[in-house]
Amino acid sequence: MSSEELLGLLYLTAIVAEAMTAALAAGRRQMDWFGVALLGSITALGGGSVRDVLLGRHPLSWIEHPHYLLITAGAALATILIARYMRQLRRLFLFLDAVGLVVFTIIGCNIAAGLGLPAIIVIASGMITGCVGGVVRDVLCADVPLLFRAELYATVSIVTGALYLAGQWGGLPHEPVMLGAMLLGLALRLLALRFGWSMPKFVYTESLH
């Protein structure tokens, strides 16, 4: 299996997992079935869509590949049927969410690098692809976005993108660099979940009045 085929397979796995986690968020807000399907698709495809709009890249991925909408909406609706088992599957979904984060990041970096953009834009494109879908989900559900909490999430995306870019600059073969960056990013995310690693918080309680 080539690196492109592997990345494509992981991408499909990631958008299904993201759509299903979004469906659970929709269920906690007691949305109807249409809301469940819509939130699932927005979460799974939103990061890539925002990236493409910012980079002026058209058509958007779900317009070029309409079946992505069917896959994500279908995965979200399927979650309704298996929601009762989600407690037992919690660890699996946390793992798949971590996989989705690093896979989306690498895809975003790949696209920006292919456009010949500066390194900081490449890394930012990876982070947008990996994180913005979840931000939109949380905003629509009236939650504080995960991206803005102390938990290591965006940081993992930035580290993954930076490792990938560093390997590219070092002239290393593409496939080992891609897999290595994803595995290290995945390990960092899972370790952060296991041990509760987080970024320092800014706490300010004084009133200006």
Side-chain angles (χ1 to χ4, degrees):
M1 181 180 292
S2 69
S3 59
E4 290 78 13
E5 291 172 335
L6 176 61
L7 203 59
L9 179 60
L10 289 174
Y11 175 76
L12 291 177
T13 302
I15 61 174
V16 166
E18 293 297 311
M20 296 182 81
T21 56
L24 295 177
R28 286 191 289 270
R29 291 298 179 183
Q30 299 182 12
M31 295 185 187
D32 63 22
W33 287 23
F34 177 76
V36 171
L38 185 61
L39 190 67
S41 294
I42 289 173
T43 301
L45 305 173
S49 296
V50 171
R51 175 206 64 222
D52 288 345
V53 169
L54 292 175
L55 298 182
R57 182 175 177 268
H58 299 286
L60 303 183
S61 63
W62 54 271
I63 294 176
E64 186 176 7
H65 304 286
H67 61 278
Y68 289 169
L69 290 173
L70 298 177
I71 291 172
T72 52
L77 291 173
T79 307
I80 297 172
L81 302 177
I82 61 172
R84 70 184 69 180
Y85 307 110
M86 283 302 173
R87 185 178 297 274
Q88 295 92 319
L89 299 174
R90 180 176 179 274
R91 290 187 178 181
L92 174 61
F93 272 88
L94 286 174
F95 174 77
L96 292 177
D97 180 73
V99 171
L101 175 63
V102 298
V103 169
F104 289 152
T105 296
I106 293 298
I107 289 173
C109 289
N110 252 334
I111 288 172
L115 296 174
L117 297 171
I120 190 170
I121 304 301
V122 171
I123 294 173
S125 296
M127 186 185 70
I128 288 169
T129 309
C131 301
V132 167
V135 172
V136 175
R137 175 201 62 214
D138 292 341
V139 168
L140 292 175
C141 291
D143 294 325
V144 177
L146 183 64
L147 184 66
F148 303 139
R149 301 175 208 165
E151 186 176 335
L152 292 186
Y153 199 81
T155 305
V156 171
S157 181
I158 292 172
V159 169
T160 302
L163 289 172
Y164 176 68
L165 205 57
Q168 297 284 77
W169 281 351
L172 300 175
H174 179 259
E175 289 190 17
V177 166
M178 181 187 75
L179 292 175
M182 287 196 297
L183 288 174
L184 289 172
L186 178 62
L188 177 59
R189 175 62 179 155
L190 294 177
L191 287 170
L193 289 170
R194 174 65 178 83
F195 296 106
W197 295 345
S198 63
M199 293 290 286
K201 294 181 180 179
F202 173 59
V203 179
Y204 184 80
T205 58
E206 296 293 331
S207 173
L208 295 178
H209 302 288

